[in-house]
């Protein structure tokens, strides 16, 4: 393809894009395809000779569109918005043509300079503190565009970890390896936090403790303070809190005004995740949840969600850019330039080296819409959510289990989790709209997010009509089924059948589908029909990131021998305690039961008993592991200690052949880590 054909074909593609987005409400929101559908539509190998563009263009509708979820549809209500806009797409057209790799200022000055100014624009538009600004006389901070909020959370955690380890080093009078200090660190988030917080802990090999929320699903200051005190008493070092403004499940808000002072008093890095809600802060009346933001060390939100700047574009600010740079700075000679000391090199603000020219589309959007039109867009989405909420509350079959915030409404049927799940399944399989589930404690709910800027009141009323009619039909069928089963249920109760009494809600739902021909039985199983995810454990540990196993370790200090242990309790009902250990005494470590079998058990064994690249915390530090506490005597515990210095860590075996001397950290230095 040459320039002349590109010019012609480009106009054709722009026309296709315009027609696609203008008529998107006519398309089925969810594709009706199965995994592997595209294999039959494509050849096994790439073509040897060039194909004409006409053939390539025609395959868009044949190959691509049948498998597309139409995120811009006004009937797309799953997850949170992921919007684009005409000026945003034009911005990426230009950025793709320039195709710079802006890792340093010198590699593309305009890429760095525009990004710095756009982050300052956004900071002021959202009403964030001035210490996040690049261009302010009293600021040491600044902003950067990352790819995702998930990556930004990891970046914040790594920066907070580095900062805390450097602080601990200045307090210790001995040379202790960073891995030893890392094993003592613990971070916090609410039990409503995004899964990316947990993943950041897994990647960085630090513990993440998820704290309970109040009746409004908000994390409070007293809860955090108590958790910090508990962990300090265990010998852990609190170093970070990830507070959420607009949680994924129900758009709940942690209480920054209480959490901020606690973090300040305890020396804990406060990271604020406002991925979805951040766009709403362009409206001054929606900034009530920002009270306490002055205590934040970092803040992130996603213009790619609700601000019509298409993916990827995530705004991330830090209060002290030097703490970020000390975490990621590398200085090979080939990346140096004559302005290295004076300029901002964004490669030192992120994990990857290379970076795209993301700020052009942000610049185009802010200028093309202006803040007033962006505010109107946000307010319109909220009004559409209020419209749906009013109809849900007026229907006696439904309930709204959580307060509506912004553009997210959650609801459920009063009939219970089974019928709510079945309603969701039917709505999803119809293809008329896309909804996803969430849980509030043990209650299954359906999330309805107003996502598209094309959404009108007529679209909301159409969606509600489908929801209410589907629910009415489902409840009628369920009532008929219950009436038909009532005599049988009476006989079962008379004979004392335990299976029906003990079956959980999930199994009852499956049995109902199998025995009721009137129910809409799915031909293929959707992911949302599978077993509910178990409740997130309150602690993730660097040395135990998986579910504990139903195995007991029996063996001398030099080997392994695993045998199933059916019960945690002995004949007296108590937890058995291993005998006092001698030089060759068998050590017995009892762990929590699990229903894992076969290959899954082997994978869990490998994951649990494999030592990470640095010392395992409960072995090296001689302290009880928080995730999987060890039931061993004090004498036996001495054999689980080891020496870990900067140049010499544990071997691959979690138990050494001999009992080494205690690590320096266990002695005189330990109290200092508790401060």
């Amino acid at each position: 393809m040459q320039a002349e054909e590109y010019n012609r074909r480009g106009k054709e593609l722009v026309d296709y894009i315009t027609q696609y987005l203008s008529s998107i409400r006519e398309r089925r929101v969810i594709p009706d395809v199965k995994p592997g559908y595209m294999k039959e539509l494509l050849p096994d190998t790439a073509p040897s000779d060039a194909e004409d563009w006409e053939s390539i263009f025609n395959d868009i509708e044949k190959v691509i569109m049948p498998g597309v979820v139409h995120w811009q549809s006004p009937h797309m209500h799953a997850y949170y918005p992921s919007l684009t806009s005409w000026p945003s797409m034009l911005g990426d057209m230009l950025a793709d043509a320039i195709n710079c790799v802006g890792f340093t200022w010198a590699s593309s000055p305009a890429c760095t300079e525009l990004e710095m100014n756009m982050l300052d624009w956004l900071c002021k538009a959202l009403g964030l503190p001035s210490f996040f600004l690049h261009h302010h006389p009293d600021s040491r901070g600044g902003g950067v565009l990352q790819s995702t909020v998930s990556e930004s959370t990891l970046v914040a955690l790594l920066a907070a970890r580095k900062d805390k380890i450097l602080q601990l080093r200045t307090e210790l009078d001995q040379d202790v390896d960073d891995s030893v200090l890392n094993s003592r660190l613990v971070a916090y988030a609410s039990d409503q936090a995004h899964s990316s917080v947990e993943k950041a802990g897994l990647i960085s090999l630090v513990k993440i403790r998820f704290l309970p929320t109040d009746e409004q699903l908000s994390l409070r200051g007293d809860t955090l303070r108590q958790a910090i005190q508990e962990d300090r008493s265990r010998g852990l070092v609190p170093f970070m809190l990830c507070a959420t403004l607009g949680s994924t499940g129900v758009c709940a808000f942690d209480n920054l005004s209480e959490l901020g002072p606690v973090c300040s008093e305890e020396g804990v890095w406060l990271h604020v995740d406002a991925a979805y809600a951040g766009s709403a802060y362009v409206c001054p009346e929606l900034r009530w949840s920002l009270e306490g933001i002055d205590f934040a060390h970092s803040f992130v939100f996603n213009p790619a969600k609700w601000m019509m700047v298409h993916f990827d574009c995530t705004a991330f600010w830090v209060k002290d850019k030097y703490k970020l740079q000390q975490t990621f700075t590398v200085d090979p000679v080939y990346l140096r330039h004559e302005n290295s000391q004076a300029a901002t090199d964004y490669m030192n603000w992120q994990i990857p080296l290379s970076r795209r020219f993301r700020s052009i589309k942000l610049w185009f959007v802010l200028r093309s819409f202006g803040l007033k039109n962006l505010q109107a867009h946000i307010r319109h989405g909220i009004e559409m959510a209020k419209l749906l909420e009013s109809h849900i509350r007026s229907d006696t079959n439904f309930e709204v289990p959580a307060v509506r915030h912004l553009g997210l409404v959650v609801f459920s049927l009063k009939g219970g989790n089974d019928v709510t799940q079945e309603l969701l399944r039917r709505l999803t399989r119809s293809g008329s709209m896309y909804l996803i589930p969430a849980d509030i404690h043990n209650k299954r709910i359906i999330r309805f997010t107003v996502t598209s800027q094309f959404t009108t009141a007529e679209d909301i009323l159409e969606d509600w009509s489908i929801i209410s009619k589907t629910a009415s039909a489902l409840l009628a069928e369920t009532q008929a089924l219950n009436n038909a089963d009532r005599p049988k249920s009476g006989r079962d109760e008379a004979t004392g059948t335990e299976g029906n009494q003990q079956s959980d809600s999930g199994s009852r739902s499956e049995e109902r589908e199998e025995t009721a021909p009137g129910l809409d039985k799915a031909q293929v199983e959707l992911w949302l029909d599978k077993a509910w995810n178990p409740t997130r454990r309150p602690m993730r540990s660097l040395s135990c990131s998986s579910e504990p196993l139903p195995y007991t370790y029996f063996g001398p200090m030099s080997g392994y021998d695993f045998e199933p242990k059916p019960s945690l309790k002995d004949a007296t009902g108590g937890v058995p305690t291993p005998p006092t250990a001698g030089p060759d005494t068998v050590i017995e470590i009892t762990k929590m039961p699990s229903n894992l079998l076969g290959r899954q058990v082997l994978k869990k064994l490998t994951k649990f008993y494999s030592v990470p690249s640095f010392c395992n915390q409960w072995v090296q530090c001689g302290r009880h592991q928080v995730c999987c506490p060890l039931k061993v005597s004090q004498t036996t515990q001495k054999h689980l200690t080891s020496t870990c210095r900067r140049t010499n860590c544990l071997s691959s075996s979690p138990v050494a052949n001999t009992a080494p001397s205690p690590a320096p950290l266990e002695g005189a230095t330990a109290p200092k880590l508790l401060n």
Side-chain angles (χ1 to χ4, degrees):
M1 182 181 291
Q2 301 302 318
E4 181 180 351
E5 185 181 5
Y6 168 78
N7 189 47
R8 178 163 51 92
R9 299 301 188 184
K11 293 176 182 177
E12 293 176 359
L13 188 57
V14 167
D15 290 341
Y16 174 84
I17 292 171
T18 303
Q19 189 276 334
Y20 163 71
L21 290 175
S22 299
S23 61
I24 195 169
R25 61 167 34 88
E26 301 170 8
R27 292 180 181 259
R28 177 188 171 101
V29 182
I30 307 174
D32 188 17
V33 296
K34 298 180 181 179
Y37 86 94
M38 194 177 290
K39 177 65 176 175
E40 302 300 322
L41 302 177
L42 296 176
D44 290 336
T45 60
S48 300
D49 299 319
E51 298 184 26
D52 63 278
W53 176 257
E54 201 69 40
S55 174
I56 299 172
F57 183 80
N58 290 335
D59 278 347
I60 294 176
E61 284 293 335
K62 294 178 181 178
V63 179
I64 303 301
M65 285 301 171
V68 169
V69 173
H70 300 288
W71 284 72
Q72 309 309 305
S73 170
H75 303 295
M76 170 67 179
H77 304 299
Y79 312 107
Y80 276 131
S82 180
L83 299 183
T84 187
S85 61
W86 310 117
S88 180
M89 289 185 286
L90 290 174
D92 248 8
M93 286 178 63
L94 177 57
D96 290 344
I98 296 173
N99 198 32
C100 69
V101 185
F103 42 80
T104 64
W105 182 90
S107 67
S108 185
C111 180
T112 299
E113 298 275 348
L114 183 61
E115 186 165 333
M116 294 173 66
N117 282 279
M118 289 305 98
L119 268 296
D120 279 4
W121 279 17
L122 276 181
C123 181
K124 296 173 183 177
L126 270 58
L128 298 178
S130 60
F131 56 66
F132 284 142
L133 294 172
H134 281 284
H135 304 98
H136 190 279
D138 300 325
S139 174
R140 288 171 53 90
V144 58
L145 291 178
Q146 306 278 9
S147 61
T148 64
V149 171
S150 298
E151 183 178 351
S152 300
T153 299
L154 176 59
V155 167
L157 186 145
L158 294 175
R161 182 183 71 169
K162 180 69 172 182
D163 183 49
K164 180 59 68 174
I165 287 177
L166 291 178
Q167 291 179 30
L168 293 175
R169 285 197 161 282
T170 62
E171 299 172 4
L172 297 175
D173 55 0
Q174 298 187 31
D175 185 18
V176 181
D177 193 273
D178 285 355
S179 63
V180 178
L181 302 177
N182 189 89
S183 69
R184 294 293 183 89
L185 300 181
V186 59
Y188 305 95
S190 83
D191 55 16
Q192 301 298 308
H194 191 263
S195 60
S196 60
V197 180
E198 182 175 354
K199 181 176 288 188
L202 295 176
I203 294 172
S204 60
L205 295 174
V206 299
K207 303 169 196 62
I208 307 291
R209 183 173 175 183
F210 297 95
L211 305 178
T213 51
D214 64 10
E215 64 278 359
Q216 299 298 323
L217 302 177
S218 173
L219 180 61
R220 306 299 296 271
D222 289 342
T223 303
L224 175 63
R225 180 178 284 106
Q226 179 180 350
I228 290 175
Q229 293 173 353
E230 292 173 354
D231 288 335
R232 289 195 190 279
S233 68
R234 295 186 180 116
L236 299 178
V237 180
F239 77 103
M240 177 182 170
L241 167 68
C242 180
T244 303
L245 298 182
S247 63
T248 302
V250 299
C251 197
F253 292 80
D254 291 341
N255 195 317
L256 278 189
S257 62
E258 295 180 2
L259 298 172
V262 175
C263 290
S264 179
E265 295 167 9
E266 299 289 347
V268 171
W269 181 295
L270 175 57
H271 173 66
V272 179
D273 175 358
Y276 165 65
S279 297
Y281 297 142
V282 298
C283 301
E285 72 273 15
L286 300 176
R287 295 175 186 167
W288 56 269
S289 58
L290 278 179
E291 183 182 353
I293 191 64
D294 289 339
F295 292 97
H297 295 81
S298 53
F299 179 93
V300 63
F301 94 103
N302 208 335
K305 278 186 164 58
W306 207 4
M307 199 173 275
M308 296 183 290
V309 185
H310 68 269
F311 184 84
D312 57 354
C313 183
T314 297
F316 174 69
W317 288 273
V318 287
K319 185 176 184 178
D320 190 340
K321 60 186 176 184
Y322 301 104
K323 292 184 178 181
L324 193 63
Q325 293 169 356
Q326 72 185 5
T327 307
F328 299 105
T329 294
V330 292
D331 191 30
V333 63
Y334 53 83
L335 294 178
R336 299 172 189 168
H337 55 91
E338 61 181 354
N339 293 299
S340 292
Q341 299 301 318
T344 294
D345 290 335
Y346 272 133
M347 67 175 183
N348 298 323
W349 293 52
Q350 61 181 25
I351 295 172
L353 173 65
S354 303
R355 54 198 337 272
R356 301 176 60 243
F357 204 160
R358 299 186 183 99
S359 56
I360 290 183
K361 58 188 176 186
L362 180 59
W363 186 40
F364 280 17
V365 166
L366 291 176
R367 295 184 64 186
S368 297
F369 286 101
L371 293 181
K372 289 184 179 179
N373 283 320
L374 290 176
Q375 291 168 346
H377 160 66
I378 297 295
R379 290 164 180 152
H380 172 72
I382 295 174
E383 289 303 313
M384 294 299 97
K386 289 180 179 179
L387 175 62
L388 176 70
E389 181 187 22
S390 66
H391 284 277
I392 295 175
R393 291 188 180 278
S394 65
D395 192 315
T396 56
N397 291 326
F398 289 88
E399 60 182 334
V400 179
V403 177
R404 179 203 54 78
H405 288 299
L406 304 179
L408 173 63
V409 182
V410 299
F411 62 91
S412 61
L413 283 170
K414 292 181 179 179
N417 290 336
D418 284 351
V419 289
T420 298
Q421 182 74 9
E422 176 61 18
L423 173 62
L424 175 61
R425 191 186 69 81
R426 294 189 179 192
L427 292 172
T428 303
R429 289 201 57 79
S430 73
S432 58
M433 68 187 74
Y434 193 2
L435 303 167
I436 62 170
D439 286 339
I440 301 179
H441 304 301
N442 294 323
K443 188 178 189 64
R444 176 55 53 99
I445 61 173
I446 299 174
R447 299 173 74 261
F448 187 110
T449 310
V450 179
T451 61
S452 175
Q453 67 267 45
F454 304 129
T455 302
T456 64
E458 289 74 20
D459 293 319
I460 295 296
L461 295 178
E462 178 184 341
D463 289 338
W464 169 243
S465 176
I466 296 173
I467 292 171
S468 59
K469 290 179 180 178
T470 304
S472 297
L474 171 61
L475 292 175
E477 293 174 16
T478 303
Q479 183 62 42
L481 179 63
N482 291 338
N483 292 338
D485 286 348
R486 191 165 297 162
K488 180 180 178 181
S489 299
R491 289 193 300 271
D492 288 342
E493 291 177 4
T495 57
T497 303
E498 296 181 359
N500 290 338
Q501 294 174 352
Q502 297 178 354
S503 61
D504 59 17
S505 60
S507 62
R508 289 197 302 269
S509 178
E510 293 173 4
E511 181 181 355
R512 185 180 299 119
E513 287 189 1
E514 293 175 0
T515 57
L519 289 181
D520 180 21
K521 177 69 175 177
Q523 296 181 359
V524 295
E525 183 184 27
L526 291 176
W527 66 268
L528 54 84
D529 290 322
K530 298 179 181 178
W532 294 12
N533 293 328
T535 304
R536 174 185 284 165
R537 295 192 307 283
M539 179 74 80
R540 282 281 196 177
S541 169
L542 66 92
S543 55
C544 181
S545 58
S546 59
E547 183 180 356
L549 297 167
Y551 283 80
T552 299
Y553 169 69
F554 290 98
M557 308 295 276
S558 58
Y560 296 102
D561 185 13
F562 300 102
E563 296 181 6
K565 190 170 183 66
S567 175
L568 286 177
K569 296 184 178 182
D570 58 16
T572 62
V575 178
T577 303
T580 303
D584 297 316
T585 302
V586 173
I587 296 178
E588 177 179 337
I589 303 175
T590 304
K591 300 169 185 68
M592 299 298 291
S594 170
N595 57 358
L596 300 175
L597 297 173
R599 294 182 180 178
Q600 290 185 350
V601 168
L602 181 60
K603 290 176 67 176
K604 292 290 184 178
L605 280 172
T606 303
K607 191 171 185 181
F608 181 78
Y609 287 100
S610 296
V611 177
S613 57
F614 51 77
C615 293
N616 183 304
Q617 179 227 355
W618 62 265
V619 175
Q620 166 260 310
C621 294
R623 291 189 176 272
H624 287 183
Q625 186 188 20
V626 180
C627 181
C628 300
L630 305 181
K631 301 299 183 180
V632 296
S633 65
Q634 189 68 28
T635 305
T636 302
Q637 193 175 5
K638 294 180 180 179
H639 292 279
L640 297 177
T641 61
S642 66
T643 301
C644 180
R645 302 184 185 280
R646 177 174 296 278
T647 59
N648 185 23
C649 199
L650 284 175
S651 63
S652 59
S653 173
V655 182
N657 289 336
T658 59
S661 59
L665 194 59
E666 299 172 20
T669 61
K672 295 186 178 182
L673 289 177
L674 303 180
N675 294 331

